[in-house]
Amino acid sequence: MMDAIIVGRVLQRFREKKGMSQELVSGLAGIGRTHLSAIERGERKPTLETFYKIGQAMQIRPSVLLAAIEEEVKKKAL
């Protein structure tokens, strides 16, 4: 089962690395800022479609985001 906190942390890290605000990413992704904020805090899990839209908004392939999430899950398991 995917850990919502890890998913959110990874998405936030990539967004901040790109220097993008939640407002900008959520607007480009076509989702609400509060929805993105809840995802980043681990309070909500994104659907596959939302995950893809967030990646597109940041110009990051979903496979890259997923690989980073998998890496974090591995670290947590150790």
Side-chain angles (χ1 to χ4, degrees):
M1 188 166 208
M2 192 60 65
D3 185 329
I5 292 174
I6 291 175
V7 172
R9 189 180 311 139
V10 168
L11 291 174
Q12 181 178 13
R13 185 177 68 223
F14 273 88
R15 178 182 59 74
E16 289 175 349
K17 220 184 263 189
K18 288 273 195 172
M20 300 174 81
S21 68
Q22 285 182 341
E23 191 75 35
L24 178 60
V25 172
S26 63
L28 292 171
I31 62 173
R33 192 205 56 79
T34 55
H35 186 182
L36 178 59
S37 178
I39 290 169
E40 288 188 356
R41 289 191 313 271
E43 294 174 0
R44 297 185 72 175
K45 289 183 183 179
T47 63
L48 184 57
E49 181 178 357
T50 299
F51 185 79
Y52 186 81
K53 287 179 178 181
I54 292 169
Q56 277 190 315
M58 295 189 292
Q59 298 182 341
I60 301 170
R61 289 188 327 269
S63 60
V64 172
L65 294 171
L66 188 56
I69 291 166
E70 288 175 340
E71 194 61 38
E72 289 296 317
V73 169
K74 281 183 198 175
K75 286 179 190 176
K76 184 180 176 184
L78 296 177

